[in-house]
Amino acid sequence: RDIGCIVRSLGCFPSEAELRELLAKLVEKEEEEEATRFIHLEKFLPVMTKVLLDRSYWPIREDVLLHAFEALDENKCGYITKEDLVKYLTEE
């Protein structure tokens, strides 16, 4: 369940569908039951190394991020407060 966080912490931002595909590469059929709990490092490293070297998942473009923050800036003041950001991340 933490594989998305791990992959994103490495600077890769796959969609949920791409994340499921990546997970399928890491899991062999006979390991499906165990795979819901653990992915062994010796299987993760070669797959993730290839993903990083191939630049398989590009980061979100700066203009897309800026547009998202502008949408959250209800008062059009050029910034959002910490309180608003916490609210958006936890409630909405």
Side-chain angles (χ1 to χ4, degrees):
R1 75 170 194 256
D2 296 326
I3 191 73
C5 292
I6 294 167
V7 170
R8 289 180 183 105
S9 73
L10 294 170
C12 299
F13 299 94
S15 66
E16 288 302 312
E18 291 169 326
L19 198 54
R20 284 191 296 274
E21 289 175 16
L22 180 62
L23 193 54
K25 290 178 187 176
L26 294 167
V27 178
E28 296 176 13
K29 297 219 182 289
E30 65 270 8
E31 299 174 329
E32 283 181 9
E33 185 175 315
E34 182 183 349
T36 60
R37 297 177 32 224
F38 301 104
I39 295 174
H40 295 281
L41 186 61
E42 62 269 6
K43 292 198 178 208
F44 178 78
L45 286 178
V47 172
M48 201 60 216
T49 299
K50 181 169 176 26
V51 165
L52 291 169
L53 290 174
D54 292 348
R55 297 178 183 238
S56 300
Y57 309 114
W58 289 94
I60 299 170
R61 293 189 338 253
E62 186 176 323
D63 63 318
V64 173
L65 276 177
L66 183 58
H67 182 68
F69 275 97
E70 286 172 346
L72 297 175
D73 181 11
E74 295 172 351
N75 299 324
K76 306 299 179 212
C77 56
Y79 63 89
I80 58 175
T81 65
K82 175 184 170 186
E83 292 78 19
D84 283 343
L85 182 59
V86 169
K87 180 182 85 170
Y88 293 131
L89 293 174
T90 59
E91 296 175 13
E92 300 186 19

Coordinates of all heavy atoms in Angstrom, one line a residue:
R1 N 0.8 -1.2 0.0 CA 0.0 0.0 0.0 C 0.8 1.3 0.0 O 0.4 2.3 -0.3 CB -1.0 0.0 1.2 CG -0.3 0.2 2.5 CD -1.3 0.4 3.6 NE -0.6 1.0 4.7 CZ -0.3 0.4 5.8 NH1 -0.6 -0.9 5.9 NH2 0.4 1.0 6.7
D2 N 2.1 1.2 0.4 CA 3.0 2.3 0.4 C 3.8 2.5 -0.8 O 4.6 3.5 -0.9 CB 3.9 2.2 1.6 CG 3.2 2.3 2.9 OD1 2.2 2.9 3.0 OD2 3.6 1.6 3.9
I3 N 3.6 1.7 -1.8 CA 4.5 1.7 -3.0 C 4.4 3.1 -3.7 O 5.4 3.6 -4.2 CB 4.2 0.5 -3.9 CG1 5.3 0.4 -5.0 CG2 2.9 0.6 -4.6 CD1 6.6 -0.1 -4.5
G4 N 3.2 3.6 -3.8 CA 3.0 4.9 -4.4 C 3.8 6.0 -3.7 O 4.5 6.8 -4.4
C5 N 3.8 6.0 -2.4 CA 4.6 7.0 -1.7 C 6.1 6.8 -1.9 O 6.8 7.8 -2.1 CB 4.3 6.9 -0.2 SG 2.6 7.4 0.3
I6 N 6.5 5.6 -1.9 CA 7.9 5.3 -2.1 C 8.4 5.8 -3.5 O 9.4 6.5 -3.7 CB 8.2 3.8 -1.9 CG1 8.0 3.4 -0.5 CG2 9.6 3.5 -2.4 CD1 7.9 2.0 -0.2
V7 N 7.6 5.4 -4.5 CA 7.9 5.8 -5.9 C 7.9 7.3 -6.1 O 8.8 7.9 -6.7 CB 7.0 5.1 -6.9 CG1 7.1 5.6 -8.3 CG2 7.2 3.6 -6.9
R8 N 6.9 8.0 -5.5 CA 6.8 9.4 -5.6 C 7.9 10.1 -4.8 O 8.4 11.2 -5.3 CB 5.5 9.9 -5.1 CG 4.4 9.5 -6.1 CD 3.0 9.9 -5.7 NE 2.0 9.5 -6.7 CZ 1.2 8.4 -6.5 NH1 1.2 7.8 -5.3 NH2 0.4 8.0 -7.5
S9 N 8.4 9.5 -3.8 CA 9.5 10.1 -3.0 C 10.8 10.1 -3.8 O 11.7 10.8 -3.5 CB 9.7 9.4 -1.7 OG 10.3 8.1 -1.8
L10 N 10.9 9.2 -4.8 CA 12.0 9.1 -5.7 C 11.9 10.1 -6.9 O 12.7 10.0 -7.8 CB 12.2 7.7 -6.2 CG 12.6 6.7 -5.1 CD1 12.5 5.3 -5.6 CD2 14.0 7.0 -4.5
G11 N 10.9 10.9 -6.9 CA 10.7 11.9 -8.0 C 10.0 11.4 -9.2 O 10.0 12.1 -10.2
C12 N 9.3 10.3 -9.1 CA 8.5 9.8 -10.1 C 7.0 9.9 -9.8 O 6.6 9.7 -8.6 CB 8.7 8.3 -10.3 SG 10.4 7.9 -10.8
F13 N 6.2 10.4 -10.7 CA 4.8 10.6 -10.5 C 3.9 9.9 -11.4 O 3.2 10.5 -12.3 CB 4.6 12.2 -10.5 CG 5.4 12.9 -9.5 CD1 6.6 13.4 -9.8 CD2 5.0 13.0 -8.2 CE1 7.4 14.0 -8.9 CE2 5.8 13.6 -7.2 CZ 7.0 14.1 -7.6
P14 N 3.8 8.6 -11.3 CA 2.9 7.8 -12.2 C 1.5 8.0 -11.8 O 1.1 8.3 -10.6 CB 3.4 6.4 -11.9 CG 3.9 6.4 -10.5 CD 4.5 7.7 -10.3
S15 N 0.6 7.8 -12.8 CA -0.8 7.8 -12.5 C -1.1 6.5 -11.7 O -0.3 5.6 -11.6 CB -1.6 7.8 -13.8 OG -1.4 6.5 -14.5
E16 N -2.4 6.4 -11.2 CA -2.7 5.2 -10.5 C -2.7 4.0 -11.4 O -2.3 2.9 -10.9 CB -4.1 5.3 -9.9 CG -4.2 6.3 -8.7 CD -3.2 5.9 -7.6 OE1 -3.2 4.7 -7.1 OE2 -2.5 6.8 -7.1
A17 N -3.1 4.1 -12.6 CA -3.0 3.0 -13.6 C -1.5 2.6 -13.8 O -1.2 1.4 -13.8 CB -3.7 3.3 -14.9
E18 N -0.7 3.5 -14.0 CA 0.8 3.2 -14.2 C 1.4 2.6 -12.9 O 2.2 1.7 -13.0 CB 1.5 4.5 -14.5 CG 1.2 5.1 -15.9 CD 1.7 6.5 -16.1 OE1 1.8 7.3 -15.2 OE2 2.1 6.7 -17.3
L19 N 0.9 3.0 -11.8 CA 1.4 2.5 -10.5 C 1.0 1.0 -10.4 O 1.8 0.1 -10.0 CB 0.8 3.3 -9.4 CG 1.5 3.1 -8.0 CD1 3.0 3.4 -8.1 CD2 0.9 4.1 -7.0
R20 N -0.3 0.7 -10.8 CA -0.7 -0.7 -10.8 C 0.1 -1.6 -11.8 O 0.5 -2.7 -11.5 CB -2.2 -0.8 -11.2 CG -3.1 -0.4 -10.0 CD -4.6 -0.8 -10.3 NE -5.1 0.0 -11.5 CZ -5.6 1.2 -11.4 NH1 -5.7 1.8 -10.3 NH2 -6.1 1.8 -12.5
E21 N 0.5 -1.0 -13.0 CA 1.3 -1.7 -13.9 C 2.7 -2.0 -13.3 O 3.3 -3.0 -13.5 CB 1.5 -0.9 -15.2 CG 0.2 -0.8 -16.1 CD 0.4 0.1 -17.3 OE1 1.5 0.4 -17.6 OE2 -0.6 0.4 -17.8
L22 N 3.3 -1.0 -12.6 CA 4.6 -1.1 -12.0 C 4.5 -2.2 -10.9 O 5.4 -3.0 -10.8 CB 5.0 0.2 -11.4 CG 6.3 0.3 -10.7 CD1 7.5 -0.1 -11.6 CD2 6.6 1.6 -10.0
L23 N 3.4 -2.2 -10.2 CA 3.3 -3.2 -9.1 C 3.2 -4.6 -9.7 O 3.7 -5.5 -9.2 CB 2.0 -2.9 -8.3 CG 1.8 -3.6 -7.0 CD1 3.0 -3.5 -6.1 CD2 0.6 -3.1 -6.3
A24 N 2.5 -4.7 -10.9 CA 2.4 -6.0 -11.6 C 3.8 -6.5 -12.0 O 4.0 -7.7 -12.0 CB 1.5 -5.9 -12.8
K25 N 4.7 -5.6 -12.4 CA 6.0 -6.0 -12.7 C 6.8 -6.5 -11.5 O 7.7 -7.4 -11.7 CB 6.8 -4.8 -13.3 CG 6.3 -4.4 -14.7 CD 7.1 -3.2 -15.1 CE 6.6 -2.6 -16.4 NZ 7.3 -1.4 -16.8
L26 N 6.4 -6.1 -10.3 CA 7.1 -6.4 -9.1 C 6.6 -7.7 -8.5 O 7.3 -8.3 -7.7 CB 7.0 -5.3 -8.1 CG 7.7 -4.0 -8.5 CD1 7.3 -2.9 -7.5 CD2 9.2 -4.2 -8.4
V27 N 5.4 -8.1 -8.9 CA 4.8 -9.3 -8.3 C 4.6 -10.4 -9.3 O 4.0 -10.2 -10.4 CB 3.4 -8.8 -7.8 CG1 2.7 -10.0 -7.1 CG2 3.6 -7.7 -6.8
E28 N 5.1 -11.6 -8.9 CA 4.8 -12.8 -9.7 C 3.6 -13.4 -9.2 O 3.2 -13.3 -8.1 CB 6.0 -13.7 -9.6 CG 7.3 -13.1 -10.2 CD 8.5 -13.9 -10.1 OE1 8.4 -15.1 -9.7 OE2 9.6 -13.4 -10.3
K29 N 2.9 -14.2 -10.1 CA 1.6 -14.8 -9.8 C 1.6 -15.6 -8.5 O 0.7 -15.5 -7.7 CB 1.1 -15.6 -10.9 CG 0.9 -14.8 -12.2 CD -0.4 -15.3 -12.9 CE -0.6 -14.6 -14.2 NZ -1.0 -13.2 -14.0
E30 N 2.7 -16.4 -8.3 CA 2.7 -17.3 -7.1 C 2.9 -16.5 -5.8 O 2.7 -17.0 -4.8 CB 3.7 -18.4 -7.3 CG 5.2 -17.9 -7.3 CD 5.6 -17.6 -8.7 OE1 4.8 -17.7 -9.7 OE2 6.8 -17.4 -8.9
E31 N 3.2 -15.2 -6.0 CA 3.5 -14.4 -4.8 C 2.3 -13.4 -4.5 O 2.4 -12.5 -3.7 CB 4.7 -13.6 -5.0 CG 6.0 -14.4 -5.1 CD 7.2 -13.5 -5.4 OE1 7.0 -12.5 -6.1 OE2 8.3 -13.9 -5.0
E32 N 1.2 -13.5 -5.2 CA 0.2 -12.5 -5.1 C -0.4 -12.3 -3.7 O -0.6 -11.2 -3.3 CB -1.0 -12.8 -6.1 CG -0.7 -12.5 -7.5 CD -1.8 -12.8 -8.4 OE1 -2.9 -13.1 -8.0 OE2 -1.6 -12.8 -9.7
E33 N -0.5 -13.4 -3.0 CA -1.1 -13.2 -1.6 C -0.1 -12.4 -0.7 O -0.4 -11.5 0.0 CB -1.4 -14.6 -1.0 CG -2.0 -14.5 0.3 CD -2.4 -15.8 0.8 OE1 -3.0 -16.6 0.1 OE2 -2.2 -16.1 2.0
E34 N 1.2 -12.8 -0.8 CA 2.2 -12.1 0.0 C 2.4 -10.7 -0.5 O 2.7 -9.8 0.3 CB 3.5 -12.9 -0.1 CG 4.6 -12.3 0.8 CD 6.0 -13.0 0.6 OE1 6.0 -14.1 0.1 OE2 6.9 -12.4 1.1
A35 N 2.2 -10.5 -1.8 CA 2.5 -9.2 -2.4 C 1.5 -8.1 -1.9 O 1.9 -6.9 -1.9 CB 2.4 -9.3 -3.9
T36 N 0.4 -8.5 -1.3 CA -0.5 -7.5 -0.8 C 0.1 -6.9 0.5 O -0.3 -5.9 1.0 CB -1.8 -8.1 -0.4 OG1 -1.7 -9.2 0.5 CG2 -2.5 -8.6 -1.7
R37 N 1.2 -7.5 1.0 CA 1.8 -7.0 2.2 C 3.2 -6.5 2.0 O 3.6 -5.5 2.5 CB 1.9 -8.2 3.2 CG 0.5 -8.6 3.6 CD 0.5 -9.8 4.6 NE 1.6 -9.8 5.5 CZ 2.3 -10.9 5.8 NH1 1.9 -12.1 5.2 NH2 3.2 -10.9 6.6
F38 N 4.1 -7.2 1.2 CA 5.5 -6.9 1.0 C 6.0 -7.0 -0.4 O 5.5 -7.8 -1.2 CB 6.3 -7.8 1.9 CG 6.0 -7.8 3.3 CD1 5.3 -8.8 3.9 CD2 6.4 -6.7 4.1 CE1 5.0 -8.8 5.3 CE2 6.0 -6.7 5.5 CZ 5.3 -7.7 6.0
I39 N 6.9 -6.1 -0.7 CA 7.7 -6.3 -2.0 C 9.1 -6.3 -1.5 O 9.6 -5.5 -0.8 CB 7.5 -5.1 -2.9 CG1 6.0 -5.1 -3.4 CG2 8.4 -5.2 -4.1 CD1 5.6 -3.9 -4.2
H40 N 9.8 -7.4 -1.9 CA 11.2 -7.6 -1.5 C 12.1 -6.6 -2.3 O 11.9 -6.4 -3.4 CB 11.6 -9.0 -1.7 CG 10.8 -10.0 -0.9 ND1 11.1 -10.2 0.5 CD2 9.8 -10.7 -1.1 CE1 10.3 -11.0 1.0 NE2 9.4 -11.4 0.0
L41 N 13.1 -6.1 -1.5 CA 14.0 -5.1 -2.1 C 14.7 -5.6 -3.3 O 14.9 -4.9 -4.3 CB 15.0 -4.7 -1.0 CG 15.9 -3.6 -1.3 CD1 15.2 -2.3 -1.6 CD2 16.9 -3.3 -0.2
E42 N 15.1 -6.9 -3.3 CA 15.9 -7.4 -4.5 C 15.0 -7.5 -5.7 O 15.5 -7.5 -6.8 CB 16.5 -8.8 -4.2 CG 15.5 -9.9 -3.9 CD 15.1 -10.0 -2.4 OE1 15.6 -9.2 -1.6 OE2 14.4 -11.0 -2.0
K43 N 13.7 -7.4 -5.6 CA 12.8 -7.3 -6.8 C 12.6 -5.8 -7.1 O 12.4 -5.5 -8.3 CB 11.5 -8.0 -6.6 CG 11.7 -9.5 -6.5 CD 10.5 -10.3 -6.7 CE 10.8 -11.7 -6.6 NZ 9.9 -12.5 -7.4
F44 N 12.5 -5.0 -6.1 CA 12.2 -3.6 -6.3 C 13.3 -2.8 -7.0 O 13.1 -2.0 -7.9 CB 11.8 -3.0 -4.9 CG 11.5 -1.5 -5.0 CD1 10.3 -1.0 -5.5 CD2 12.5 -0.6 -4.6 CE1 10.1 0.3 -5.6 CE2 12.2 0.8 -4.7 CZ 11.0 1.2 -5.1
L45 N 14.5 -3.1 -6.5 CA 15.7 -2.3 -7.0 C 15.9 -2.3 -8.5 O 16.0 -1.3 -9.1 CB 16.9 -2.7 -6.2 CG 17.0 -2.2 -4.8 CD1 18.3 -2.7 -4.2 CD2 17.0 -0.7 -4.7
P46 N 15.9 -3.5 -9.1 CA 16.1 -3.5 -10.6 C 15.0 -2.9 -11.4 O 15.3 -2.1 -12.3 CB 16.2 -5.0 -10.9 CG 16.3 -5.8 -9.7 CD 15.9 -4.9 -8.6
V47 N 13.8 -3.1 -10.9 CA 12.6 -2.5 -11.6 C 12.7 -1.0 -11.5 O 12.5 -0.2 -12.4 CB 11.3 -3.1 -11.1 CG1 10.1 -2.3 -11.7 CG2 11.2 -4.5 -11.5
M48 N 12.9 -0.5 -10.3 CA 12.9 0.9 -10.0 C 14.1 1.6 -10.6 O 14.0 2.7 -11.1 CB 12.8 1.2 -8.5 CG 12.4 2.6 -8.1 SD 10.7 2.9 -8.7 CE 10.8 4.6 -9.2
T49 N 15.2 0.9 -10.7 CA 16.4 1.5 -11.3 C 16.1 1.7 -12.8 O 16.5 2.8 -13.4 CB 17.6 0.5 -11.2 OG1 17.9 0.4 -9.8 CG2 18.8 1.0 -11.9
K50 N 15.5 0.7 -13.5 CA 15.1 0.9 -14.9 C 14.1 2.1 -15.1 O 14.3 2.9 -16.0 CB 14.5 -0.4 -15.4 CG 14.1 -0.3 -16.9 CD 13.8 -1.6 -17.5 CE 13.3 -1.6 -18.9 NZ 13.7 -0.6 -19.7
V51 N 13.2 2.2 -14.2 CA 12.2 3.3 -14.2 C 12.9 4.6 -14.1 O 12.7 5.6 -14.9 CB 11.1 3.2 -13.1 CG1 10.4 4.5 -12.9 CG2 10.2 2.0 -13.4
L52 N 13.9 4.7 -13.2 CA 14.6 6.0 -13.0 C 15.5 6.3 -14.2 O 15.6 7.4 -14.7 CB 15.4 5.9 -11.7 CG 14.6 6.0 -10.4 CD1 15.5 5.6 -9.2 CD2 13.9 7.3 -10.3
L53 N 16.2 5.3 -14.7 CA 17.1 5.5 -15.8 C 16.4 5.8 -17.1 O 16.9 6.6 -17.9 CB 18.0 4.3 -16.0 CG 19.1 4.1 -14.9 CD1 19.8 2.7 -15.2 CD2 20.1 5.2 -14.9
D54 N 15.2 5.2 -17.3 CA 14.4 5.5 -18.5 C 13.6 6.7 -18.4 O 12.9 7.1 -19.4 CB 13.5 4.3 -18.8 CG 14.3 3.0 -19.2 OD1 15.5 3.1 -19.5 OD2 13.6 1.9 -19.2
R55 N 13.6 7.3 -17.2 CA 12.7 8.5 -16.9 C 11.3 8.2 -17.4 O 10.7 8.9 -18.1 CB 13.2 9.7 -17.6 CG 14.6 10.1 -17.1 CD 15.1 11.3 -17.8 NE 16.5 11.6 -17.4 CZ 16.8 12.8 -16.8 NH1 15.9 13.8 -16.7 NH2 18.0 13.0 -16.4
S56 N 10.8 7.1 -16.9 CA 9.5 6.6 -17.3 C 8.3 7.5 -16.8 O 7.3 7.6 -17.5 CB 9.2 5.2 -16.7 OG 10.2 4.3 -17.1
Y57 N 8.4 8.1 -15.7 CA 7.4 9.0 -15.2 C 7.9 10.4 -14.9 O 8.7 10.6 -14.0 CB 6.8 8.4 -13.9 CG 6.4 6.9 -14.0 CD1 7.1 6.0 -13.3 CD2 5.4 6.5 -14.8 CE1 6.8 4.6 -13.3 CE2 5.1 5.2 -14.9 CZ 5.8 4.3 -14.2 OH 5.4 2.9 -14.3
W58 N 7.5 11.3 -15.8 CA 7.9 12.7 -15.7 C 7.2 13.3 -14.5 O 6.1 13.0 -14.2 CB 7.7 13.4 -17.0 CG 8.6 12.9 -18.0 CD1 8.3 12.0 -19.0 CD2 9.9 13.3 -18.3 NE1 9.4 11.8 -19.8 CE2 10.4 12.6 -19.4 CE3 10.8 14.3 -17.7 CZ2 11.7 12.7 -19.9 CZ3 12.1 14.4 -18.2 CH2 12.5 13.7 -19.2
P59 N 7.9 14.3 -13.9 CA 7.2 15.1 -12.8 C 6.1 15.9 -13.4 O 6.1 16.2 -14.6 CB 8.3 16.0 -12.3 CG 9.6 15.7 -13.0 CD 9.3 14.7 -14.1
I60 N 5.2 16.4 -12.6 CA 4.1 17.2 -13.0 C 4.7 18.5 -13.5 O 5.6 19.1 -12.8 CB 3.2 17.5 -11.8 CG1 2.6 16.1 -11.4 CG2 2.1 18.5 -12.2 CD1 1.8 16.2 -10.1
R61 N 4.2 19.0 -14.6 CA 4.8 20.3 -15.2 C 4.5 21.4 -14.3 O 3.4 21.5 -13.6 CB 4.2 20.5 -16.6 CG 4.6 19.6 -17.6 CD 4.1 20.0 -19.0 NE 3.0 20.9 -19.1 CZ 1.8 20.6 -19.5 NH1 1.5 19.4 -19.8 NH2 0.8 21.6 -19.5
E62 N 5.4 22.4 -14.2 CA 5.3 23.6 -13.4 C 4.0 24.4 -13.7 O 3.3 24.8 -12.7 CB 6.5 24.5 -13.6 CG 6.5 25.6 -12.6 CD 7.8 26.5 -12.8 OE1 8.9 25.9 -13.1 OE2 7.7 27.7 -12.7
D63 N 3.6 24.5 -14.9 CA 2.4 25.3 -15.2 C 1.1 24.6 -14.7 O 0.2 25.3 -14.3 CB 2.3 25.6 -16.7 CG 2.2 24.4 -17.6 OD1 2.9 23.4 -17.3 OD2 1.4 24.4 -18.6
V64 N 1.1 23.3 -14.7 CA 0.0 22.6 -14.2 C -0.1 22.8 -12.7 O -1.2 23.0 -12.1 CB 0.1 21.0 -14.5 CG1 -1.0 20.2 -13.9 CG2 0.1 20.9 -16.0
L65 N 1.0 22.7 -12.0 CA 1.0 22.9 -10.5 C 0.6 24.4 -10.2 O -0.2 24.6 -9.3 CB 2.4 22.7 -9.9 CG 2.8 21.3 -9.6 CD1 4.2 21.2 -9.1 CD2 1.8 20.7 -8.5
L66 N 1.1 25.3 -11.0 CA 0.7 26.7 -10.8 C -0.8 26.9 -11.0 O -1.4 27.6 -10.2 CB 1.5 27.6 -11.7 CG 1.3 29.1 -11.5 CD1 1.6 29.6 -10.1 CD2 2.1 29.9 -12.6
H67 N -1.3 26.3 -12.0 CA -2.8 26.4 -12.3 C -3.6 25.8 -11.1 O -4.6 26.4 -10.7 CB -3.1 25.7 -13.6 CG -4.5 25.9 -13.9 ND1 -5.1 27.0 -14.3 CD2 -5.5 24.9 -14.0 CE1 -6.4 26.8 -14.5 NE2 -6.7 25.6 -14.4
A68 N -3.1 24.7 -10.6 CA -3.8 24.1 -9.4 C -3.8 25.0 -8.2 O -4.8 25.2 -7.5 CB -3.1 22.8 -9.1
F69 N -2.6 25.6 -7.9 CA -2.6 26.5 -6.8 C -3.4 27.8 -7.0 O -4.0 28.3 -6.1 CB -1.1 26.9 -6.4 CG -0.5 25.9 -5.5 CD1 0.3 24.9 -6.0 CD2 -0.7 25.9 -4.2 CE1 0.9 23.9 -5.2 CE2 -0.2 24.9 -3.3 CZ 0.6 23.9 -3.9
E70 N -3.4 28.3 -8.3 CA -4.3 29.4 -8.6 C -5.7 29.1 -8.3 O -6.5 30.0 -7.9 CB -4.0 29.9 -10.0 CG -2.7 30.6 -10.2 CD -2.4 30.9 -11.7 OE1 -3.0 30.3 -12.6 OE2 -1.4 31.6 -11.9
A71 N -6.1 27.9 -8.7 CA -7.5 27.5 -8.4 C -7.9 27.5 -7.0 O -9.0 27.7 -6.6 CB -7.8 26.1 -9.1
L72 N -6.9 27.1 -6.1 CA -7.1 27.1 -4.7 C -7.1 28.5 -4.0 O -7.6 28.7 -2.9 CB -6.1 26.2 -4.0 CG -6.1 24.8 -4.4 CD1 -4.9 24.0 -3.7 CD2 -7.4 24.1 -4.0
D73 N -6.5 29.5 -4.7 CA -6.4 30.8 -4.2 C -7.7 31.6 -4.5 O -7.8 32.4 -5.4 CB -5.2 31.5 -4.9 CG -5.0 33.0 -4.5 OD1 -5.6 33.4 -3.5 OD2 -4.2 33.7 -5.1
E74 N -8.7 31.4 -3.6 CA -10.0 31.9 -3.7 C -10.0 33.4 -3.7 O -10.8 34.1 -4.4 CB -10.9 31.4 -2.6 CG -11.2 29.9 -2.7 CD -11.9 29.3 -1.6 OE1 -12.1 30.1 -0.6 OE2 -12.3 28.2 -1.6
N75 N -9.1 34.1 -3.0 CA -9.1 35.5 -2.9 C -8.2 36.2 -3.9 O -8.1 37.4 -4.0 CB -8.6 36.0 -1.5 CG -9.6 35.4 -0.4 OD1 -10.8 35.4 -0.6 ND2 -9.0 35.0 0.7
K76 N -7.6 35.4 -4.8 CA -6.7 35.9 -5.8 C -5.7 36.8 -5.3 O -5.4 37.8 -5.9 CB -7.5 36.6 -7.0 CG -8.6 35.7 -7.6 CD -8.1 34.5 -8.2 CE -9.2 33.6 -8.8 NZ -8.9 32.2 -8.7
C77 N -5.0 36.4 -4.2 CA -4.0 37.2 -3.6 C -2.6 36.8 -3.9 O -1.6 37.4 -3.5 CB -4.2 37.3 -2.0 SG -4.3 35.7 -1.2
G78 N -2.5 35.7 -4.7 CA -1.2 35.2 -5.1 C -0.6 34.2 -4.1 O 0.6 33.7 -4.4
Y79 N -1.3 33.7 -3.1 CA -0.8 32.7 -2.2 C -2.0 32.0 -1.5 O -3.1 32.6 -1.6 CB 0.1 33.3 -1.2 CG -0.5 34.3 -0.3 CD1 -1.1 33.9 0.9 CD2 -0.5 35.6 -0.6 CE1 -1.7 34.8 1.8 CE2 -1.1 36.6 0.3 CZ -1.7 36.1 1.4 OH -2.3 37.0 2.2
I80 N -1.7 30.9 -0.9 CA -2.7 30.3 -0.1 C -2.1 30.1 1.3 O -0.9 29.9 1.4 CB -3.3 28.9 -0.6 CG1 -2.1 27.9 -0.8 CG2 -4.0 29.1 -1.9 CD1 -2.6 26.5 -1.2
T81 N -3.0 30.2 2.3 CA -2.5 30.2 3.7 C -2.2 28.7 4.0 O -2.7 27.8 3.4 CB -3.5 30.7 4.7 OG1 -4.6 29.9 4.7 CG2 -3.8 32.2 4.3
K82 N -1.4 28.5 5.1 CA -1.1 27.2 5.6 C -2.4 26.5 6.0 O -2.6 25.3 5.7 CB -0.1 27.3 6.8 CG 0.1 26.0 7.4 CD 1.0 26.2 8.6 CE 1.1 24.9 9.5 NZ 1.8 25.1 10.7
E83 N -3.2 27.3 6.6 CA -4.5 26.7 7.1 C -5.4 26.2 6.0 O -6.0 25.1 6.0 CB -5.3 27.8 8.0 CG -4.6 28.1 9.3 CD -3.4 29.1 9.1 OE1 -3.3 29.7 8.1 OE2 -2.6 29.1 10.1
D84 N -5.4 27.0 4.9 CA -6.2 26.6 3.7 C -5.6 25.4 3.1 O -6.3 24.4 2.7 CB -6.3 27.7 2.7 CG -7.3 28.8 3.1 OD1 -8.1 28.5 4.0 OD2 -7.2 29.9 2.5
L85 N -4.3 25.3 3.0 CA -3.6 24.2 2.4 C -3.9 22.9 3.2 O -4.3 21.9 2.6 CB -2.1 24.4 2.3 CG -1.3 23.3 1.6 CD1 -1.8 23.0 0.2 CD2 0.2 23.6 1.6
V86 N -3.8 23.0 4.5 CA -4.1 21.9 5.4 C -5.6 21.4 5.2 O -5.9 20.2 5.1 CB -3.8 22.2 6.9 CG1 -4.4 21.1 7.8 CG2 -2.3 22.4 7.1
K87 N -6.5 22.4 5.1 CA -7.9 22.1 4.9 C -8.1 21.4 3.6 O -8.8 20.3 3.5 CB -8.7 23.4 4.9 CG -10.2 23.2 4.7 CD -11.0 24.5 4.6 CE -10.9 25.0 3.2 NZ -11.8 26.1 2.9
Y88 N -7.5 21.8 2.5 CA -7.6 21.2 1.2 C -7.1 19.8 1.2 O -7.6 18.9 0.6 CB -7.0 22.0 0.1 CG -7.6 23.4 -0.2 CD1 -6.9 24.5 -0.2 CD2 -9.0 23.4 -0.3 CE1 -7.5 25.7 -0.5 CE2 -9.6 24.7 -0.6 CZ -8.9 25.8 -0.6 OH -9.5 27.0 -0.9
L89 N -5.9 19.6 1.8 CA -5.3 18.3 1.8 C -6.0 17.3 2.8 O -5.8 16.1 2.6 CB -3.8 18.4 2.2 CG -2.9 19.2 1.3 CD1 -1.5 19.4 1.8 CD2 -2.9 18.5 -0.1
T90 N -6.7 17.8 3.7 CA -7.3 16.8 4.7 C -8.8 16.7 4.6 O -9.3 15.7 5.0 CB -6.9 17.2 6.2 OG1 -7.4 18.5 6.4 CG2 -5.4 17.1 6.4
E91 N -9.5 17.7 4.1 CA -10.9 17.7 4.1 C -11.5 17.5 2.7 O -12.6 17.0 2.5 CB -11.5 19.0 4.7 CG -11.1 19.1 6.1 CD -11.5 20.5 6.7 OE1 -12.3 21.2 6.0 OE2 -11.1 20.8 7.8
E92 N -10.9 18.1 1.7 CA -11.5 18.1 0.4 C -10.9 17.2 -0.6 O -9.8 16.8 -0.6 CB -11.6 19.5 -0.2 CG -12.3 20.4 0.8 CD -12.5 21.8 0.3 OE1 -12.4 22.1 -0.9 OE2 -12.8 22.7 1.1

